[in-house]
Amino acid sequence: MFEGHVLYLLRKYLGEYVEGLSVEALRISVWKGDVVLKDLKLKAEALNSLRLPVTVKAGFVGTITLKVPWKSLGKEPVIVLIDRLFVLAHPAPDGQTLKEEDREKLFEAKLQQIEAAEAATVEATSRNSRGGPVPGGNSWLYNLISTIIGNLKVTISNVHIRYDDSVSNSGHPFASGFTLSKLAAVTVDEDGNETFDAGVALDKLRKSVELHRLAIYHDSGSNPWKLDKKWEALNPTEWSEIFQDGIDDRSGNSIWAVNRNYLVSPINGTLKYKRLGKNERGDPDTPLEKASLVLSDVSLTVTEAQYYDGIKLLETFSRFRTRVDVSHLRPVVPVKEDRRAWWRYAVLAGLRQKKLCYWFSWERTRRLCQLRRRYVQLYATLLQQAPKVDISEIREIEKILDMKVIILWRLLAHAKVETVKSKETLHRKGAPKKRWWPFGWNTTGLPSEEATHPEPQLDEEEQLTKEEWQAINKLLSYQPDEDLSFPLEKVSPNAIRFMMDVSIGQAGARIINIDGTEVLCGRFEQLQVATKLYPKSTSCDVTLKYCGLSSPEGSLAQSVVSEGKSNALDISFVRAPIGMDLDWQLMAKISPCHVTVLKESYERFMEFIKRSNAVSPTVTMETATALQLKLEQVTRRAQEQLQLVLEEQSRFGLDIDLDAPKVRIPLTANQPSLVNEYFVLDFGHFTLHTRDGRHDEERQSLYSGFYITGRDMAAFLICDLAQDIYSIPESLDQDTLLGHTSDDNQFSSLLDRCGMSVIIEQTGYCIIQQC
């Protein structure tokens, strides 16, 4: 019984990606015990599901091992090992030079996506109609399968996926790659040690995932790899020699990995997941599900050449998406044979790209209605496994239609089949009523002999019954978000349903221009993000220890610790806080940031931006248009939300403690022979709080008021800098104002320290007081 399921899964999932997978060999391996597949070749269409303009030039899988303890199922873990996954991809052929075999591959990929969407929708609706996502209940078989899946041990090692491109950026070939040394997922105990949980594993689960040396590289100016023989003729040792270098830290520096430039340097990480069993759920402070991700040092480096290649690659993807959306309209004959068809294609493609209604004449509408009736009838016959179904006619219709239309029509066919089954059930129970039959009509509601396989009449008017419309709406109204993997239970409002922790020790990002000079370098330390999901509330806490930005001329910005603040940033956001009459609440503490405005750094950054815009005007225009549309949408949405807040009198709470930045602007060239002068602007310290109305009557009509205070705002001119120019004195005497001081730093006050208080009410009442 279990052997049959394993065989089915191997054929289903591996057969789509691997060439030469022998069914007999699989059957023998499964029945014998462990399944070991070696030296597998990947299919060229293995990456088609990603809907990217790439195809597999060569692919290799070293070993796939499946260890199933048949005699100890439920006592020992099932082990899945995948080692040496090597993929070499390159750009897909241009649509103007597609061969017939390339068109067939694209059509096969289209069918795979349609079938996947169809199966997911039908399965989800069927599961919902049965009353829940968990089949099998508490049966022995279900518990055994849950234990096997919950204790599954998976290890993936030595992964290298490379993409060679000499087309996107003409005259400047490049190569991008993804490498992974090891990814291992095991079941652990409370102490983090590997174990086997013999309980109901899908109810109680504790997993640990280890990530070793995950990296992304981009080699600008790298020519595509060339060999003396075909890729198909490589042996396993040669595959490893070419792709293995750079995956782990023990690799050498072969010719295949010379001058490798990492976008994301190799990083390590750990993900721990824990789900409580039903008997462990008592403490509301203990989350029912918890995931913790810890990443080591993260380093990102982008050179200007890499940036240019990325822009060109985005252009290629953009053109591909446009071409894919109108691929079903593209003529299959050359331009010389049918110029009119190609002109029609150009018009329809342009209208579709602008999302305009295209070619909706009465003749075309009638033709589409005929195709819909014919396709639904044929596909309904196919679903009922009736003989003599014309598959070729179904495929011809699918070639000329959009994927979304085909999915819709298939769901209509499923709805008709379900209607037939429900009416058959009613007839067996003695319901004497005339009913629709997919292939014929008679007065008793049963299919006649001669109507078993007739040719459908396309010109007959189809009338859908109420039951049919209900079945169709049930299929079409399904949303993936409604399919919850974890069923909702009656829990306390204070109980934490899910908690996610993300921790990054330190991270840095650099931008390097075409001359090899560093434009900007930003880094931060100890970033912690914790998200908690309650039944009716959500909270997110963010803490950041340090952040900074620098250039070759020196520091541009850096956070510093101030009184009462140990972190650069502390933010807590809660939606619908529990026990409070608020819609949302925001609390934040922000430490001061020292900012230095350097002319050289600013000019270098602006030159980088200008050169980048000149590289690809198309992408620049598309990006600017998209940003403008997004800005308009955000502005309109903000206005609507504000109006909604005012109308519904939504309540929110703000508690912000901000040490504003201190900005330094050099006034003279930074040379030892000259006296350095700086303009320093201290924005001081601000607090923003919301407060309730002063009386109960006001609380009924006033959701909140704002109380804003600001202090220690000042502006200075500083000459002859010796130490820290941000150490501005609390008060300045007359000698300092006149420049007569014995200190090395000479302060000239432009704005004495001052403050302000502002009270704002919703009614428009405002009080401003200067301190």
Side-chain angles (χ1 to χ4, degrees):
M1 176 175 61
F2 291 105
E3 293 89 340
H5 287 291
V6 173
L7 180 62
Y8 168 76
L9 292 175
L10 288 175
R11 293 176 58 187
K12 178 180 179 181
Y13 292 103
L14 291 181
E16 297 181 3
Y17 305 102
V18 177
E19 292 181 352
L21 193 62
S22 173
V23 177
E24 293 298 328
L26 275 177
R27 184 180 291 111
I28 294 174
S29 299
V30 170
W31 288 349
K32 184 178 179 181
D34 298 342
V35 178
V36 181
L37 304 175
K38 294 184 177 181
D39 305 337
L40 303 176
K41 299 295 192 307
L42 293 183
K43 293 182 178 180
E45 58 271 15
L47 299 179
N48 286 349
S49 59
L50 299 178
R51 292 180 62 84
L52 296 175
V54 299
T55 184
V56 175
K57 184 177 182 179
F60 173 81
V61 182
T63 57
I64 299 177
T65 304
L66 178 64
K67 297 182 178 181
V68 184
W70 300 109
K71 298 181 180 180
S72 303
L73 278 176
K75 299 179 181 179
E76 296 180 8
V78 175
I79 301 176
V80 179
L81 303 174
I82 301 176
D83 182 49
R84 289 178 298 160
L85 173 59
F86 303 145
V87 179
L88 179 62
H90 64 160
D94 190 5
Q96 297 180 356
T97 60
L98 280 177
K99 300 178 182 178
E100 188 62 29
E101 57 182 11
D102 296 328
R103 296 181 184 274
E104 290 297 328
K105 290 179 181 179
L106 290 176
F107 181 63
E108 289 295 330
K110 175 182 175 181
L111 288 180
Q112 290 178 5
Q113 296 171 10
I114 293 173
E115 292 171 357
E118 175 192 7
T121 304
V122 173
E123 180 182 357
T125 53
S126 176
R127 182 168 59 247
N128 292 337
S129 64
R130 292 195 300 266
V134 183
N138 295 320
S139 64
W140 170 84
L141 179 60
Y142 174 72
N143 291 340
L144 178 60
I145 295 177
S146 300
T147 303
I148 294 173
I149 297 176
N151 290 278
L152 192 65
K153 183 177 179 180
V154 180
T155 302
I156 302 174
S157 58
N158 297 319
V159 178
H160 187 174
I161 300 176
R162 180 181 174 91
Y163 172 71
D164 283 333
D165 193 336
S166 57
V167 178
S168 299
N169 193 359
S170 180
H172 300 277
F174 61 86
S176 299
F178 163 88
T179 60
L180 173 65
S181 178
K182 185 179 180 181
L183 179 68
V186 297
T187 302
V188 296
D189 57 16
E190 295 181 356
D191 298 328
N193 301 320
E194 184 177 348
T195 186
F196 184 88
D197 190 352
V200 183
L202 291 186
D203 174 52
K204 176 184 176 181
L205 191 61
R206 187 180 285 109
K207 286 285 186 180
S208 176
V209 181
E210 296 290 338
L211 179 69
H212 296 281
R213 290 187 62 84
L214 168 67
I216 301 175
Y217 68 86
H218 181 98
D219 297 337
S220 183
S222 176
N223 293 315
W225 282 349
K226 293 183 179 180
L227 302 177
D228 296 334
K229 56 182 178 180
K230 295 183 179 180
W231 288 95
E232 296 80 4
L234 293 180
N235 57 47
T237 303
E238 292 171 334
W239 276 101
S240 298
E241 290 177 355
I242 296 174
F243 281 86
Q244 189 69 35
D245 196 38
I247 294 180
D248 51 50
D249 52 1
R250 296 172 297 178
S251 301
N253 190 15
S254 67
I255 60 173
W256 306 104
V258 66
N259 297 327
R260 179 159 295 176
N261 297 314
Y262 285 103
L263 282 172
V264 179
S265 298
I267 59 176
N268 300 322
T270 302
L271 173 65
K272 295 186 180 298
Y273 174 80
K274 179 182 179 181
R275 184 167 65 209
L276 299 180
K278 292 182 179 179
N279 298 329
E280 300 175 333
R281 303 171 187 176
D283 186 3
D285 296 330
T286 303
L288 304 184
E289 295 182 83
K290 181 179 179 180
S292 299
L293 176 62
V294 179
L295 296 177
S296 61
D297 299 346
V298 179
S299 178
L300 173 65
T301 303
V302 179
T303 65
E304 193 164 353
Q306 292 173 339
Y307 182 69
Y308 294 165
D309 293 339
I311 291 179
K312 293 297 184 181
L313 188 60
L314 288 177
E315 282 186 347
T316 302
F317 287 176
S318 177
R319 290 194 300 266
F320 176 79
R321 286 195 299 268
T322 303
R323 187 168 64 247
V324 166
D325 291 339
V326 297
S327 60
H328 62 285
L329 303 173
R330 189 182 183 89
V332 296
V333 297
V335 178
K336 293 181 179 179
E337 296 183 8
D338 194 345
R339 294 183 178 87
R340 179 177 297 180
W342 280 91
W343 276 111
R344 186 185 298 113
Y345 164 71
V347 174
L348 295 180
L351 292 175
R352 184 180 181 88
Q353 186 177 5
K354 296 181 179 180
K355 301 185 184 322
L356 299 177
C357 180
Y358 63 93
W359 201 15
F360 265 117
S361 63
W362 285 112
E363 181 63 26
R364 177 165 176 79
T365 303
R366 186 180 69 86
R367 175 58 178 165
L368 290 176
C369 291
Q370 292 177 347
L371 285 177
R372 191 260 303 172
R373 294 191 183 101
R374 180 62 174 169
Y375 184 87
V376 170
Q377 290 173 352
L378 289 173
Y379 199 75
T381 307
L382 181 64
L383 291 175
Q384 292 182 324
Q385 299 180 353
K388 299 181 180 179
V389 180
D390 192 357
I391 300 294
S392 61
E393 186 176 357
I394 294 178
R395 295 292 179 258
E396 289 299 323
I397 297 177
E398 291 172 341
K399 287 182 179 179
I400 63 176
L401 293 175
D402 185 57
M403 185 174 66
K404 296 180 181 179
V405 175
I406 298 173
I407 295 175
L408 175 62
W409 289 4
R410 288 194 177 190
L411 295 181
L412 290 173
H414 280 282
K416 283 190 172 293
V417 172
E418 291 298 324
T419 305
V420 171
K421 292 180 180 179
S422 62
K423 291 191 175 184
E424 284 180 347
T425 303
L426 289 175
H427 179 75
R428 294 191 187 99
K429 293 180 180 180
K433 58 189 293 186
K434 183 177 179 181
R435 63 191 180 87
W436 178 88
W437 190 259
F439 312 114
W441 290 84
N442 58 21
T443 56
T444 62
L446 295 174
S448 58
E449 294 291 337
E450 62 275 7
T452 305
H453 304 293
E455 287 295 327
Q457 299 297 323
L458 299 182
D459 294 333
E460 291 183 1
E461 183 68 24
E462 274 191 7
Q463 298 293 334
L464 299 178
T465 64
K466 181 179 179 180
E467 293 81 5
E468 292 172 343
W469 279 114
Q470 291 177 349
I472 292 172
N473 291 330
K474 184 177 179 181
L475 282 170
L476 300 182
S477 62
Y478 164 72
Q479 297 293 333
D481 295 338
E482 299 175 0
D483 184 20
L484 301 177
S485 59
F486 192 70
L488 293 177
E489 301 175 0
K490 294 182 179 180
V491 295
S492 171
N494 298 326
I496 304 175
R497 297 193 58 85
F498 180 79
M499 180 176 178
M500 180 68 185
D501 285 335
V502 178
S503 176
I504 301 178
Q506 59 181 2
R510 297 191 306 160
I511 300 177
I512 300 176
N513 65 13
I514 201 68
D515 300 326
T517 304
E518 186 179 272
V519 178
L520 289 176
C521 177
R523 66 186 185 93
F524 65 82
E525 297 178 1
Q526 299 183 22
L527 174 65
Q528 303 278 344
V529 180
T531 303
K532 299 178 182 179
L533 301 182
Y534 298 86
K536 296 182 179 180
S537 178
T538 304
S539 69
C540 181
D541 298 326
V542 180
T543 62
L544 181 63
K545 186 70 175 179
Y546 170 84
C547 62
L549 183 67
S550 64
S551 69
E553 287 74 27
S555 175
L556 298 179
Q558 62 177 351
S559 61
V560 295
V561 178
S562 63
E563 182 179 358
K565 298 183 178 69
S566 58
N567 297 315
L569 181 66
D570 279 299
I571 295 179
S572 178
F573 175 81
V574 184
R575 181 187 62 83
I578 301 172
M580 303 178 67
D581 187 19
L582 296 175
D583 294 294
W584 57 269
Q585 184 181 30
L586 175 65
M587 295 178 290
K589 289 185 178 181
I590 305 175
S591 295
C593 183
H594 291 174
V595 179
T596 303
V597 180
L598 298 177
K599 181 180 179 181
E600 295 83 356
S601 301
Y602 174 78
E603 291 178 348
R604 185 183 296 109
F605 179 74
M606 293 307 298
E607 289 177 1
F608 177 86
I609 297 298
K610 292 178 180 179
R611 287 197 301 267
S612 301
N613 293 340
V615 170
S616 179
T618 303
V619 170
T620 303
M621 185 62 66
E622 291 179 355
T623 304
T625 304
L627 289 176
Q628 182 179 0
L629 293 176
K630 192 65 177 179
L631 181 60
E632 293 176 355
Q633 293 175 359
V634 170
T635 304
R636 183 170 62 254
R637 182 63 176 171
Q639 294 174 351
E640 294 174 355
Q641 290 293 329
L642 180 60
Q643 183 66 26
L644 185 63
V645 166
L646 295 177
E647 292 177 357
E648 297 184 357
Q649 295 186 351
S650 300
R651 298 179 61 86
F652 57 87
L654 293 176
D655 187 359
I656 300 176
D657 186 348
L658 168 64
D659 277 315
K662 304 178 190 297
V663 181
R664 179 182 72 167
I665 303 176
L667 300 180
T668 58
N670 190 14
Q671 299 178 6
S673 59
L674 298 177
V675 176
N676 298 323
E677 295 182 353
Y678 300 90
F679 171 69
V680 179
L681 182 59
D682 186 355
F683 288 95
H685 179 273
F686 282 87
T687 60
L688 171 61
H689 304 279
T690 54
R691 62 177 189 175
D692 294 331
R694 291 180 291 273
H695 305 287
D696 294 337
E697 297 80 5
E698 293 181 357
R699 290 178 183 174
Q700 297 178 359
S701 60
L702 182 63
Y703 69 96
S704 64
F706 299 95
Y707 184 60
I708 305 173
T709 62
R711 58 181 175 83
D712 296 337
M713 293 174 285
F716 296 90
L717 283 177
I718 303 179
C719 302
D720 194 14
L721 178 63
Q723 295 179 353
D724 186 6
I725 58 94
Y726 294 108
S727 301
I728 303 173
E730 293 295 333
S731 62
L732 298 176
D733 54 19
Q734 187 67 21
D735 291 336
T736 304
L737 289 175
L738 297 176
H740 304 297
T741 176
S742 59
D743 296 337
D744 293 333
N745 293 336
Q746 297 182 358
F747 295 87
S748 298
S749 176
L750 299 179
L751 176 65
D752 290 341
R753 290 190 177 276
C754 60
M756 60 181 296
S757 298
V758 180
I759 301 175
I760 302 177
E761 305 288 2
Q762 182 190 2
T763 56
Y765 182 66
C766 178
I767 299 177
I768 301 177
Q769 180 179 1
Q770 185 177 0
C771 302

